[in-house]
Amino acid sequence: MAASLPSVQFVDRHRATLIQRVCLVESIADALLSQGLIHSEMYSDLRAARTSQEKMRELYEALHCGGAQVKAAFYSILKEQDPHLVKDLGGSDCCEEEEIIKLRLKYKEWIRREYKTVQEYNSLPGEDVRLDERYTELLMIQKHRQHKQREEELRCTGDSFRKIMNMRNCDEFMSTDVEQLFDPDKDGEVQRTVILQGQAGIGKSFTAQKIMWDWASGKLYSERFDYIFHLKCRELNLISEKISVVDLILNSSPHLMPAIAQVLSRPEEILFIIDGFDELRFPVVMSEFARSHDPHEQNCPEVTLSRLMRKVILPECYLLITTRSTALDKLTQLLKQQQPRYIEILGFSEKGMKEYFQKFFKDEQKAMCAFNYVENNEIVFTTCFIPVICWIVCTVLREQFEEGTDITHALSTPTTIFVYFVDALLEHHCRSLSLPVQEVLRRLGMLAESGIKEQRVLFEDKRVQDIFPDLSEVPSSFLNKVLLRKSISRETMYSFMHISFQEFCAALSYVLCDDQEAKTKVTKLLKQTGKHDKNHLLMTVQFLFGLSNKETTDFLKKKYKHSISSEVRPLLESWIQELITQKHNFHIKIINILHFVYELHENDFLKHAMNNLTDIDLSYNALKRTDCVVVTYCLQACRHIESLTLLHCNLKSQELEILLPVFEKCRFLVLDSSSLGDCEVNTLSKALSPSCKTEELVLDVRRLSDEKMEDLFSALCSLQRLTEVTLSFHSFTESCASLLVNLIMSCTRLQRLRIDGTHENQCMADLSARLIRPHQSQEAVQLESIDLRNKAMIHLCESLREKGVAIKDVWLILIGITDACIDDLCSSRSLHQSMKHLVLYDSEFTEASIPALICFIEKCNNLENLQLDVCRLSDEKMEDLFSALCSLQRLSEVILTLNSLSERRASILINFIMSCTRLQRLRLKCTHLSIKAVTLLYESLRETGVTIEDVTLIQTDNTDACIDDLCPSHSLQRSMKYLDLRVIVFTFASIPALRVLFRNAITLKT
């Protein structure tokens, strides 16, 4: 190995002496830095040292980190600058070795120069980009995935896809990186052949170039390999004459000619990178009868390359072979004796994608802005894990930044990105297609279309062969080949790089055929898409709209000399207008319809189509920024927006900002707490300006702080068109009540205000009332509140009274009322005279509060309806309460909840009935109401002269005793109209009594 070279041994052996005697330390360090053999940080530390001895110690640290090659270079530089010292220490016998080192350093310098920059697809002359400004570490794994895992990767988008990729980047899938490619495996074995596979545009060749650059710069494999040679299969295709392995080496590094013997003498320190095996046009030779081991022997390219890869020549060398998956079978057969290590590049990890954006834009703010925008477009974000698509997207966004335009409209449609991607693949990754481009796209479309209809993302080789009879014609840039384990065998399958790309190719199949076929196929597709179980067709239809865009059709026609069928667009326009007119198509959501229109991106059609769309409900769609761009683009074309409902849409400040132009046009707007927190108030307030057309507003303000609540209400008070407002509070406090009073007084057109509180473990109040503002006696505000705290409700009423607002026709429901609630209620001076309906439900107050309750009720002179829970009252307190009720001469309906009905309570009720002359309905809810109590009440009423008609009696658990209690009351029997004896448990002994009952019940109908 390199560590055994005499120059390296010289540097190690004379360490102490050299530290003391070398004086030109900085000069030597300058030379090493210029050759890229030490890092700038080490160089800075060296220069900071005070004495030459300290500087040499720092330099030895750098030599140790750099390894044998850096030590050999140090020896060579030292010999040039201080030959006497070297000779004095006995180092003059290394002349031949020095020449080899110089040649190696010269080769590395040439590598650094050649591989320093890369040409991008759109680079003009002289516009090369530095490699380290673009290359980003890729996600590589060694474990083969199962069928289900492959399907997950192909089908998922957005956050789901992000999670899957993060799961792949772990020990379970044996994730790895470039530095570990030749590390020992779990058994301690070192694989000398590594296959790096991945789809087109995934970064295989870019990785090969980065390996070359890093090795030549001393950052990678410096201890492992003396030489790395990059053999590009695309260039090997151009060789027609006979060549040898030596020729392959010297073709890329002719200055190594004097040292070729020494280079080949240590094959275990050589790495060959065979880049793009799938691009080879000539067949590699699998076996030979006569096999030469001579690296100098010339032969046809396929034989020479085959011998190198099969380790017939230089068997101890290392190989790194990059390929697409479609060539894996052939490559595996060629290397069957070597048991190579297989590594697959999946693309960027999420961290890698962010890093790529940062490197591309160089400006942190622009990078984050661009990444956040892409992250909110599920399709674009998912495909950006593929480096070439990531480059396309970043290039488009950079143009927007340079022009100073808003990037929210940069990627006009997802279709545009895929059109650019297909163009990049065809131009830069499909140079060996054996079929015309149009035919390739047509066949790919057929395969994709069949898969989408059957919801299939993995295709058996037989299915692919039906479309590509010669499997060698399968375009590996578009289709991946997948080997899957199946029971005791394995099967070969194909897939598109992602389902979104498959859906795009399926859409292509509809527009690349002739007019008649296109009309028939598109009509059938649109008809199927409207069915309830055909959601898997939606993205294909969306891409179909995108492909019908005029700019896209012109681009495809210019590029591929093929016109998009003229029959497609009229069908799409007619279909979308029909969907909008129907308004209620439960199988196609309104957000999908808007995406269809957005993909078409034609302003004239947009205005025409949106005229019929007035009520928009986007609820239960988690709207991302790209969705909001689509919504704003489409709805701004609406002449009038009657209503926009956004429940559970999870809108944040940035999404709301995009939607502001739409909010200002809405007559009726609904937003819930998922879209309205403190961060969103300022943004929403911009829309709620005096020029806003909103008349009806539903807002959930449960997440707002007091400060932001005030800001929001300040904006609401400026809306002079506002007629109806519904607000949901987390906790309705006195401060909330004050804000509402200001709103009522400021919005002079306000007609209805509805308040929703929250369920709390305390007295809750539901209130309904008419509010008459000062000087506006003809224009009342209908106030409705539910689930408010009793105290806050009373505070609201008192605050309104203080502002001169008259409160009329009060309906008040109090739930879970306690002693404290009754005290609060009695303190109100605004509710007595206006109370028309009062409900005290699930009462928890004690008898101590009865005097206060009586005092309050006696003041409610206009009370018409009363519902009371008196289960906790004694007969005495019940009698006091009903004595007060007898004074309410407008009372027409009473509902009572009791736990039992005794003779005394029956007497109290009878007195109450006789006193309230307007009483029309008395309803008793009794948990333990016996037949005996009923007959007692009935007979008592009859004795006072009350006529009772149309009696309905429902009795459960009917025993013999119940029948006995019912039978004595002959007058009750004669008034009976409906009798229901449920759950019969009486015996035959009661039959005679029942006969008498039925005979007397002369009015009984059921």
Side-chain angles (χ1 to χ4, degrees):
M1 295 292 286
S4 62
L5 294 174
S7 58
V8 176
Q9 295 174 355
F10 176 89
V11 174
D12 291 337
R13 184 168 59 251
H14 297 291
R15 182 180 187 277
T17 305
L18 292 175
I19 288 175
Q20 296 299 322
R21 296 181 60 180
V22 174
C23 299
L24 303 174
V25 186
E26 289 193 12
S27 177
I28 296 173
D30 288 340
L32 291 172
L33 181 65
S34 66
Q35 295 177 25
L37 296 176
I38 62 173
H39 297 305
S40 55
E41 294 85 355
M42 292 181 171
Y43 179 76
S44 298
D45 292 341
L46 183 147
R47 293 200 63 187
R50 290 175 298 175
T51 65
S52 61
Q53 288 82 9
E54 290 177 355
K55 292 179 188 292
M56 274 300 296
R57 289 189 180 93
E58 290 290 343
L59 183 56
Y60 258 98
E61 286 294 324
L63 297 180
H64 178 71
C65 294
Q69 294 187 22
V70 180
K71 291 177 182 178
F74 165 76
Y75 173 83
S76 180
I77 297 167
L78 180 63
K79 190 172 183 301
E80 286 181 3
Q81 296 191 7
D82 196 346
H84 298 293
L85 175 59
V86 173
K87 185 176 181 181
D88 188 38
L89 295 175
S92 57
D93 299 329
C94 303
C95 293
E96 182 180 348
E97 181 201 337
E98 291 171 26
E99 293 304 317
I100 295 173
I101 292 172
K102 286 181 181 179
L103 291 174
R104 185 188 304 137
L105 292 174
K106 187 176 181 181
Y107 172 58
K108 285 189 173 185
E109 184 180 349
W110 176 82
I111 292 292
R112 290 195 300 274
R113 185 170 61 250
E114 289 295 312
Y115 287 78
K116 180 179 180 180
T117 60
V118 291
Q119 265 202 334
E120 297 183 324
Y121 296 148
N122 62 347
S123 293
L124 298 176
E127 284 189 340
D128 293 353
V129 180
R130 285 181 59 89
L131 174 67
D132 54 4
E133 291 178 357
R134 283 290 182 272
Y135 181 82
T136 305
E137 187 174 327
L138 298 167
L139 174 56
M140 304 177 183
I141 64 171
Q142 300 178 63
K143 184 177 179 179
H144 294 284
R145 278 101 70 217
Q146 299 172 359
H147 190 288
K148 182 179 178 180
Q149 293 168 335
R150 290 274 186 180
E151 287 221 0
E152 283 179 343
E153 294 169 13
L154 294 170
R155 291 185 184 278
C156 290
T157 58
D159 287 336
S160 299
F161 187 78
R162 181 210 313 261
K163 290 176 183 176
I164 287 174
M165 293 298 280
N166 288 337
M167 287 170 59
R168 300 295 182 262
N169 191 13
C170 64
D171 292 339
E172 179 186 352
F173 288 88
M174 301 170 65
S175 61
T176 186
D177 52 36
V178 170
E179 288 81 1
Q180 300 173 5
L181 293 182
F182 297 97
D183 283 358
D185 59 21
K186 61 182 181 180
D187 298 321
E189 297 289 332
V190 175
Q191 302 295 338
R192 291 176 179 255
T193 301
V194 175
I195 296 175
L196 198 59
Q197 61 165 313
Q199 60 197 32
I202 205 72
K204 302 181 297 296
S205 295
F206 216 41
T207 299
Q209 185 169 346
K210 186 63 163 58
I211 290 173
M212 294 296 294
W213 163 259
D214 282 348
W215 170 76
S217 302
K219 300 176 182 178
L220 182 69
Y221 301 150
S222 57
E223 289 286 336
R224 187 181 295 274
F225 302 120
D226 281 347
Y227 298 95
I228 301 181
F229 301 110
H230 189 187
L231 307 181
K232 302 175 184 177
C233 293
R234 186 177 296 176
E235 296 177 358
L236 296 180
N237 289 328
L238 305 177
I239 300 175
S240 55
E241 68 275 7
K242 291 184 176 182
I243 57 168
S244 65
V245 170
V246 170
D247 294 330
L248 290 177
I249 293 173
L250 296 179
N251 279 345
S252 60
S253 49
H255 37 267
L256 286 179
M257 171 73 78
I260 195 65
Q262 288 79 5
V263 171
L264 297 177
S265 67
R266 290 192 290 268
E268 70 278 2
E269 296 177 13
I270 300 175
L271 169 64
F272 288 97
I273 300 177
I274 300 174
D275 189 14
F277 176 80
D278 54 284
E279 297 184 67
L280 285 176
R281 294 179 187 172
F282 51 77
V284 291
V285 180
M286 297 294 181
S287 61
E288 305 169 73
F289 290 109
R291 299 188 297 178
S292 172
H293 301 272
D294 185 2
H296 294 273
E297 182 179 315
Q298 293 186 328
N299 216 316
C300 53
E302 55 266 36
V303 171
T304 299
L305 186 62
S306 171
R307 288 176 177 175
L308 177 62
M309 294 177 66
R310 289 186 291 123
K311 303 290 184 73
V312 175
I313 300 175
L314 303 179
E316 294 180 341
C317 73
Y318 286 77
L319 295 177
L320 175 61
I321 306 170
T322 72
T323 184
R324 295 176 190 168
S325 57
T326 47
L328 270 182
D329 277 348
K330 181 168 63 174
L331 183 57
T332 302
Q333 183 66 21
L334 181 68
L335 305 177
K336 61 183 179 181
Q337 301 297 328
Q338 299 183 41
Q339 296 182 337
R341 172 179 292 175
Y342 290 88
I343 294 175
E344 183 174 358
I345 300 178
L346 299 185
F348 287 136
S349 62
E350 182 184 5
K351 178 183 176 183
M353 192 196 303
K354 288 180 180 178
E355 184 182 339
Y356 184 87
F357 272 76
Q358 291 169 350
K359 287 186 174 183
F360 189 95
F361 290 100
K362 298 179 183 178
D363 181 290
E364 182 72 24
Q365 186 175 356
K366 289 181 179 178
M368 287 305 299
C369 180
F371 181 82
N372 290 338
Y373 172 67
V374 168
E375 191 177 24
N376 281 276
N377 187 318
E378 285 197 347
I379 296 175
V380 177
F381 176 72
T382 302
T383 54
C384 271
F385 280 82
I386 301 171
V388 69
I389 295 186
C390 200
W391 173 82
I392 292 172
V393 170
C394 288
T395 301
V396 174
L397 294 177
R398 181 176 60 187
E399 289 178 359
Q400 300 298 311
F401 281 129
E402 290 172 350
E403 293 171 6
T405 54
D406 185 1
I407 71 162
T408 55
H409 303 286
L411 307 174
S412 54
T413 66
T415 307
T416 307
I417 297 302
F418 280 106
V419 168
Y420 289 159
F421 179 49
V422 169
D423 182 55
L425 289 182
L426 290 172
E427 186 170 344
H428 301 283
H429 296 269
C430 294
R431 298 184 179 181
S432 58
L433 283 177
S434 56
L435 296 171
V437 168
Q438 290 183 21
E439 181 62 16
V440 169
L441 294 178
R442 188 187 70 82
R443 294 191 187 187
L444 285 170
M446 290 171 58
L447 182 65
E449 180 189 356
S450 67
I452 294 300
K453 288 180 177 178
E454 299 171 13
Q455 301 186 57
R456 180 190 300 272
V457 292
L458 290 168
F459 303 89
E460 298 87 352
D461 52 359
K462 184 179 183 302
R463 174 72 68 91
V464 176
Q465 201 164 12
D466 290 340
I467 295 174
F468 293 93
D470 183 356
L471 288 177
S472 65
E473 295 177 341
V474 173
S476 60
S477 298
F478 294 88
L479 290 177
N480 300 324
K481 192 173 184 179
V482 182
L483 295 177
L484 296 173
R485 188 177 292 108
K486 185 176 182 180
S487 187
I488 60 173
S489 60
R490 69 178 188 180
E491 61 180 343
T492 301
M493 305 194 83
Y494 291 83
S495 75
F496 290 85
M497 57 187 62
H498 189 264
I499 191 172
S500 55
F501 189 60
Q502 181 179 334
E503 290 163 334
F504 172 79
C505 290
L508 272 177
S509 73
Y510 290 92
V511 298
L512 292 180
C513 46
D514 60 64
D515 286 351
Q516 186 56 46
E517 185 182 0
K519 184 176 181 179
T520 302
K521 290 177 63 176
V522 171
T523 301
K524 184 177 180 181
L525 173 67
L526 297 179
K527 185 176 180 180
Q528 289 178 323
T529 305
K531 297 179 180 179
H532 75 280
D533 59 344
K534 299 296 182 181
N535 285 341
H536 59 280
L537 300 177
L538 289 173
M539 277 309 304
T540 301
V541 173
Q542 183 172 321
F543 282 125
L544 197 54
F545 273 90
L547 289 169
S548 300
N549 169 267
K550 187 177 184 306
E551 291 183 8
T552 302
T553 56
D554 290 346
F555 178 85
L556 292 174
K557 182 178 180 180
K558 180 180 178 182
K559 271 284 185 180
Y560 308 119
K561 308 296 186 290
H562 187 89
S563 298
I564 299 296
S565 172
S566 59
E567 295 289 336
V568 173
R569 180 164 168 173
L571 288 172
L572 296 176
E573 291 182 351
S574 175
W575 181 71
I576 204 72
Q577 289 189 64
E578 183 181 347
L579 286 180
I580 292 173
T581 304
Q582 289 175 356
K583 293 185 179 178
H584 297 291
N585 188 314
F586 299 108
H587 308 314
I588 301 181
K589 295 180 179 179
I590 187 66
I591 188 63
N592 296 121
I593 295 174
L594 298 181
H595 271 284
F596 295 158
V597 175
Y598 181 78
E599 285 283 344
L600 193 58
H601 231 70
E602 298 286 352
N603 288 333
D604 291 339
F605 172 72
L606 173 69
K607 293 176 182 178
H608 181 67
M610 290 295 108
N611 278 340
N612 295 319
L613 192 62
T614 57
D615 297 288
I616 302 101
D617 188 350
L618 298 171
S619 300
Y620 300 97
N621 290 289
L623 299 180
K624 298 197 174 183
R625 262 173 285 179
T626 46
D627 296 312
C628 294
V629 169
V630 169
V631 171
T632 301
Y633 170 81
C634 294
L635 298 191
Q636 275 188 296
C638 293
R639 190 177 303 166
H640 169 68
I641 301 176
E642 178 65 22
S643 66
L644 176 61
T645 305
L646 300 167
L647 295 175
H648 302 285
C649 292
N650 300 317
L651 297 170
K652 303 305 176 196
S653 181
Q654 291 173 321
E655 286 81 21
L656 287 174
E657 188 81 42
I658 297 170
L659 291 171
L660 287 183
V662 176
F663 289 168
E664 294 174 353
K665 298 182 69 173
C666 297
R667 196 194 72 79
F668 179 33
L669 177 62
V670 180
L671 280 174
D672 70 351
S673 60
S674 70
S675 303
L676 193 55
D678 282 0
C679 296
E680 288 72 46
V681 167
N682 292 341
T683 304
L684 181 61
S685 297
K686 294 178 185 177
L688 303 178
S689 62
S691 61
C692 179
K693 296 180 180 179
T694 303
E695 297 177 14
E696 297 181 33
L697 193 60
V698 179
L699 294 177
D700 188 332
V701 296
R702 282 177 289 184
R703 293 171 52 214
L704 298 188
S705 63
D706 291 344
E707 180 184 354
K708 290 300 179 182
M709 191 86 75
E710 289 183 16
D711 293 344
L712 177 61
F713 271 82
S714 176
L716 292 177
C717 289
S718 69
L719 301 181
Q720 291 308 309
R721 297 182 184 221
L722 211 55
T723 61
E724 186 171 329
V725 178
T726 299
L727 298 168
S728 298
F729 294 88
H730 172 66
S731 180
F732 190 80
T733 62
E734 284 79 356
S735 62
C736 296
S738 300
L739 292 173
L740 279 177
V741 172
N742 289 335
L743 178 66
I744 293 169
M745 301 303 292
S746 300
C747 297
T748 56
R749 293 188 183 181
L750 189 65
Q751 298 173 9
R752 186 168 183 259
L753 176 61
R754 189 171 189 271
I755 312 164
D756 289 353
T758 186
H759 295 283
E760 298 181 6
N761 294 323
Q762 51 188 308
C763 179
M764 305 304 297
D766 294 354
L767 173 71
S768 175
R770 283 193 312 117
L771 308 179
I772 309 297
R773 288 170 290 207
H775 315 299
Q776 287 185 306
S777 58
Q778 302 300 317
E779 297 181 12
V781 178
Q782 184 64 36
L783 173 65
E784 297 176 11
S785 69
I786 61 172
D787 291 344
L788 296 190
R789 285 189 302 147
N790 179 53
K791 196 167 187 177
M793 179 272 299
I794 292 172
H795 181 81
L796 172 62
C797 294
E798 293 302 307
S799 299
L800 287 168
R801 186 183 63 81
E802 290 171 3
K803 290 287 186 179
V805 177
I807 304 175
K808 303 291 185 180
D809 302 336
V810 175
W811 284 52
L812 179 62
I813 302 174
L814 297 174
I815 303 171
I817 188 167
T818 63
D819 291 341
C821 294
I822 291 179
D823 291 340
D824 293 335
L825 191 63
C826 293
S827 67
S828 171
R829 292 180 291 173
S830 56
L831 296 177
H832 299 128
Q833 298 302 316
S834 304
M835 188 75 68
K836 294 185 71 174
H837 183 110
L838 177 62
V839 177
L840 304 180
Y841 186 67
D842 282 348
S843 300
E844 298 180 7
F845 60 86
T846 65
E847 293 187 347
S849 294
I850 292 299
L853 181 60
I854 289 173
C855 181
F856 175 79
I857 290 177
E858 285 178 337
K859 295 178 182 178
C860 298
N861 297 323
N862 295 311
L863 189 65
E864 297 176 1
N865 301 81
L866 177 64
Q867 182 173 339
L868 279 174
D869 180 351
V870 294
C871 290
R872 295 172 179 263
L873 299 188
S874 64
D875 291 349
E876 181 182 353
K877 291 299 181 181
M878 184 174 169
E879 188 169 4
D880 293 342
L881 178 60
F882 273 82
S883 294
L885 293 178
C886 289
S887 65
L888 303 177
Q889 293 304 309
R890 291 178 178 268
L891 205 58
S892 62
E893 181 177 355
V894 175
I895 301 174
L896 294 176
T897 301
L898 310 97
N899 52 6
S900 64
L901 182 63
S902 63
E903 185 175 348
R904 183 175 179 183
R905 291 192 173 194
S907 176
I908 294 171
L909 290 175
I910 291 167
N911 183 53
F912 170 67
I913 293 170
M914 299 304 294
S915 300
C916 294
T917 56
R918 291 193 180 184
L919 188 66
Q920 298 175 8
R921 185 170 184 247
L922 173 64
R923 184 180 178 189
L924 303 180
K925 296 180 179 179
C926 189
T927 54
H928 298 92
L929 183 61
S930 66
I931 291 288
K932 191 172 184 178
V934 172
T935 55
L936 172 65
L937 178 62
Y938 182 87
E939 293 299 329
S940 299
L941 285 170
R942 191 176 64 83
E943 289 172 3
T944 59
V946 175
T947 302
I948 303 175
E949 300 176 348
D950 300 338
V951 175
T952 295
L953 181 61
I954 301 173
Q955 169 67 21
T956 59
D957 297 330
N958 294 279
T959 63
D960 291 335
C962 292
I963 302 299
D964 292 341
D965 290 337
L966 184 62
C967 288
S969 181
H970 299 297
S971 56
L972 177 60
Q973 296 168 12
R974 284 192 291 271
S975 303
M976 195 82 65
K977 187 175 183 179
Y978 182 94
L979 177 62
D980 186 349
L981 302 178
R982 301 180 182 178
V983 192
I984 296 175
V985 293
F986 56 80
T987 65
F988 285 108
S990 295
I991 296 299
L994 281 173
R995 286 176 181 170
V996 174
L997 186 153
F998 293 142
R999 186 167 58 246
N1000 292 334
I1002 57 177
T1003 60
L1004 188 64
K1005 292 185 177 181
T1006 306

